[in-house]
Amino acid sequence: MEQAVTLPSQRVKSLRQAFERRFGRAPEIIVRAPGRVNLIGEHTDYNDGFVLPVAIDRDVLFAAARRNDDRVHLWAIDLDEEDEFALSDISRSEARPWANYQRGVAAMLQARGHKLIGADVAFSSNVPIGAGLSSSAAVEVAAAFGFLSLSGEEMDRAQMALACQQAEHEYAGVPCGIMDQFISALGKEDHALLIDCRSLTYEHIPIPEGVRIVVADTGVRRALAGSEYRVRRSQCEEAVRLLQPVLPEIRALRDVSEADLERHGHLLPEIVWRRARHVVSENQRVLDAVAALRQGDLARVGELFMASHRSLRDDYEVSSPELDAMVEAAMEGPGCFGARLTGAGFGGCTVSLVRADRVEDFVAHLTRAYRERTGREATVYVTRAADGVGMATA
Ligand code: GLA
């Protein structure tokens, strides 16, 4: 089922009205920060590798106005819950876990020397939660940009993404890489973002005309995802530790080539070797996908999507029966170049590249074929590469 989306201008208008009703004055700023879908480069960011996400047209809206004291008053419109804290004394909230994103972001910005001003805040999101579309990164980046703008503070966007990532680590307790916050901060309309997760240098790569990005939510959420994510991270670290005696210059799997792995793979336990093989081959696939996108060779990009999915399924073992069923259903669909699981895996979404002139038929096919295979309902979004965080103009 394709989901109806409220027009962006309507969402901004109703947020402004809600803010005025609640706080008795108009917001001074309304910020928009997008979720993301990763085209390719999965589980490479925390290995200092390459990723190629796009920001999507699903986002968090954050309305705020300054206060005369140092308090932040937060209203989560979607939950209709509120939270309040002092900027001079920020800690995690056990009672309201949703508020830890804004609390963490404010704490990390201040720890980097930014002088923040107290604020009344109302925010709302249409990024599906827990689907692997980085709803939490969007909340963090919206808050960072909002707090900084309101306080008249300047910050480099890559540094802002790092502060948000640290907030996620320390306040939400999720040991994520840098991809999600980075793309929400630096996305560009109609472009994917090639990020070198070691140097944090990046390049916007145009998405060829005539192709659509289709995100399909399996509807399955796995509580396992968090603990398995940690296990994968430590297996990657183990691979580096075990390879260092023969490859002393390596610091991360980013530095290991396919030839290195072939030569020295026997030093690794089988499971660790497969994890490493995924990361090493996936880094190469990102660079190959960028080259193919530049040449407009979508068939090649599609092949790389399929290889990525197989590697995530067989070597990294982060797929699920539903994700595999969705990818198989997508591949049989009209106009599909390729499909793969996207995000951390275990549940959540797939991403497919589809010919623009076949996209309606593709969505109808995917919805039907996924239901036939699994008995479940998919939620399918045809999305486009959107801009990163900024002021909402509508
Ligand atoms: C999650 C993390 C990212 C990245 C992906 C897997 O989305 O937040 O940093 O590691 O998983 O590619």
Side-chain angles (χ1 to χ4, degrees), residues 24-39:
R25 60 201 173 117
E28 291 172 53
I29 56 164
I30 298 185
V31 169
R32 164 182 285 130
R36 65 99 184 91
V37 60
N38 189 17
L39 295 186

Side-chain angles (χ1 to χ4, degrees), residues 171-191:
Y171 276 70
V174 178
C176 61
I178 188 61
M179 167 168 69
D180 308 344
Q181 291 79 12
F182 209 91
I183 178 65
S184 186
L186 281 146
K188 183 172 166 190
E189 193 173 12
D190 297 329
H191 289 71

Side-chain angles (χ1 to χ4, degrees), residues 36 38 41-46 134 176-180 229 343-344:
R36 65 99 184 91
N38 189 17
E42 221 63 84
H43 291 276
T44 46
D45 62 350
Y46 53 81
S134 294
C176 61
I178 188 61
M179 167 168 69
D180 308 344
Y229 189 87

Side-chain angles (χ1 to χ4, degrees), residues 20-234:
E20 281 171 11
R21 273 199 311 276
R22 172 63 188 82
F23 295 111
R25 60 201 173 117
E28 291 172 53
I29 56 164
I30 298 185
V31 169
R32 164 182 285 130
R36 65 99 184 91
V37 60
N38 189 17
L39 295 186
I40 195 161
E42 221 63 84
H43 291 276
T44 46
D45 62 350
Y46 53 81
N47 290 295
D48 279 2
F50 301 103
V51 292
L52 189 67
V54 297
I56 58 175
D57 53 0
R58 291 276 175 147
D59 44 47
V60 168
L61 293 178
F62 176 104
R66 281 170 289 185
R67 290 171 60 105
N68 294 326
D69 55 21
D70 94 322
R71 302 192 73 75
V72 173
H73 195 132
L74 285 176
W75 177 27
I77 293 185
D78 307 329
L79 302 170
D80 196 17
E81 283 189 32
E82 301 199 8
D83 180 53
E84 203 178 330
F85 60 91
L87 286 167
S88 54
D89 179 25
I90 306 181
S91 59
R92 293 186 68 229
S93 166
E94 300 303 329
R96 285 174 291 278
W98 58 266
N100 285 325
Y101 299 110
Q102 287 89 354
R103 285 175 173 239
V105 164
M108 296 312 151
L109 294 176
Q110 293 191 130
R112 286 165 165 75
H114 293 283
K115 304 234 174 318
L116 301 187
I117 292 175
D120 289 329
V121 174
F123 71 98
S124 167
S125 173
N126 68 0
V127 187
I129 292 176
L133 300 177
S134 294
S135 54
S136 55
V139 169
E140 292 152 6
V141 170
F145 196 86
F147 286 138
L148 290 165
S149 311
L150 205 60
S151 308
E153 291 280 305
E154 298 279 330
M155 192 177 192
D156 170 75
R157 286 185 179 218
Q159 291 303 316
M160 187 175 85
L162 283 169
C164 290
Q165 180 197 24
Q166 197 182 352
E168 177 102 25
H169 288 185
E170 294 182 19
Y171 276 70
V174 178
C176 61
I178 188 61
M179 167 168 69
D180 308 344
Q181 291 79 12
F182 209 91
I183 178 65
S184 186
L186 281 146
K188 183 172 166 190
E189 193 173 12
D190 297 329
H191 289 71
L193 188 65
L194 170 64
I195 310 168
D196 177 333
C197 298
R198 168 171 282 164
S199 64
L200 296 187
T201 52
Y202 58 90
E203 201 178 334
H204 289 107
I205 311 292
I207 309 262
E209 292 207 359
V211 69
R212 291 287 173 274
I213 298 164
V214 179
V215 176
D217 189 345
T218 58
V220 178
R221 309 280 181 264
R222 290 272 151 79
L224 252 188
S227 56
E228 289 293 328
Y229 189 87
R230 285 170 205 276
V231 171
R232 296 301 179 284
R233 280 196 78 138
S234 62

